[in-house]
């Protein structure tokens, strides 16, 4: 009886450890690597810029944008956010979108364009969701009207 009880405890502990050990292995997969590292992030941003330029719902927001800087800052931002070896040196999300009157529909349109860009770059769905989850909270600083 006692032995059976012990066996159960040991098995339960073993299961627990398996879970504890398995957890960091999953978390250790850097999103940056899942996106394809530097080459991958640059490719995603470039596809994203093409999508934005073609998107009649929101391309009017970018008519006066310095595309070279925007591209550079987006690459830095996606790289840094995903755990890559970069530092974001651009303006805060609040500063860079202030006064643009961006609404939820415009925000969602931009997110759709990013998803299409990632699809085109063959980014796995799980990795897409990881990047989107990091970007989603930024809506608070970007959207100014309902
Ligand atoms: C999660 C969503 C978004 C992210 C991560 C993001 C990221 C950025 C970054 C990194 C910059 C460059 C900042 C700098 O120059 O220092 C920027 C600028 C800009 N963003 Fe966004 N943005 C987002 C949503 C939007 C939306 C929804 C719009 C409009 C539909 C928009 C329009 C712009 C424009 C027009 C600029 C250029 C501003 C300028 O010319 O100085 N962004 N954004």
């Amino acid at each position: 009886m006692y032995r059976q009880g012990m066996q159960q405890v040991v098995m339960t502990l073993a299961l627990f450890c398996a879970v504890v050990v398995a957890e960091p292995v999953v978390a250790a997969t850097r999103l940056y690597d899942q996106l394809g590292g530097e080459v991958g992030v640059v490719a995603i941003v470039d596809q994203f810029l093409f999508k934005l330029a073609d998107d009649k719902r929101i391309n009017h927001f970018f008519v006066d944008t310095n595309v070279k800087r925007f591209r550079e800052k987006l690459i830095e931002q996606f790289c840094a956010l995903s755990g890559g070896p970069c530092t974001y040196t651009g303006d805060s999300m609040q500063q860079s979108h202030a006064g643009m009157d961006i609404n939820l529909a415009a925000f969602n349109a931009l997110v759709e364009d990013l998803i299409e860009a990632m699809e085109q770059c063959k980014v796995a769905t799980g990795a897409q969701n990881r990047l989107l989850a990091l970007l989603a909270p930024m809506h608070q600083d970007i959207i100014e009207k309902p």
Side-chain angles (χ1 to χ4, degrees):
M1 187 64 186
Y2 171 72
R3 170 173 286 219
Q4 216 177 10
M6 269 311 278
Q7 262 173 357
Q8 245 166 17
V9 171
V10 171
M11 272 173 60
T12 311
L13 276 179
L15 269 178
F16 181 70
C17 291
V19 171
V20 169
V21 170
E23 197 74 48
V25 174
V26 173
T29 312
R30 261 199 315 184
L31 176 56
Y32 182 66
D33 297 323
Q34 289 184 310
L35 298 177
E38 187 185 346
V39 174
V41 169
V42 169
I44 293 165
V45 168
D46 282 340
Q47 282 307 320
F48 181 40
L49 291 177
F50 287 132
K51 301 278 174 204
L52 286 179
D54 276 350
D55 190 339
K56 292 193 176 63
R57 296 171 297 178
I58 52 174
N59 55 11
H60 58 277
F61 281 98
F62 298 92
V63 282
D64 293 327
T65 299
N66 174 340
V67 178
K68 186 172 176 286
R69 177 189 163 97
F70 184 45
R71 177 179 182 270
E72 260 170 35
K73 299 306 164 200
L74 275 177
I75 291 170
E76 271 179 18
Q77 191 187 41
F78 288 3
C79 169
L81 267 181
S82 63
C86 312
T87 305
Y88 176 64
T89 63
D91 298 332
S92 74
M93 289 300 94
Q94 199 167 21
Q95 278 171 338
S96 41
H97 301 92
M100 288 190 199
D101 268 357
I102 295 174
N103 62 13
L104 181 62
F107 187 87
N108 288 341
L110 178 133
V111 170
E112 262 176 48
D113 292 339
L114 176 59
I115 293 171
E116 277 183 25
M118 291 193 286
E119 280 290 319
Q120 210 152 330
C121 292
K122 310 248 178 292
V123 175
T125 308
Q128 291 187 22
N129 289 338
R130 281 178 79 181
L131 182 61
L132 295 173
L134 292 167
L135 297 174
M138 295 178 183
H139 79 272
Q140 290 168 339
D141 294 328
I142 294 171
I143 296 175
E144 280 183 337
K145 61 179 191 186

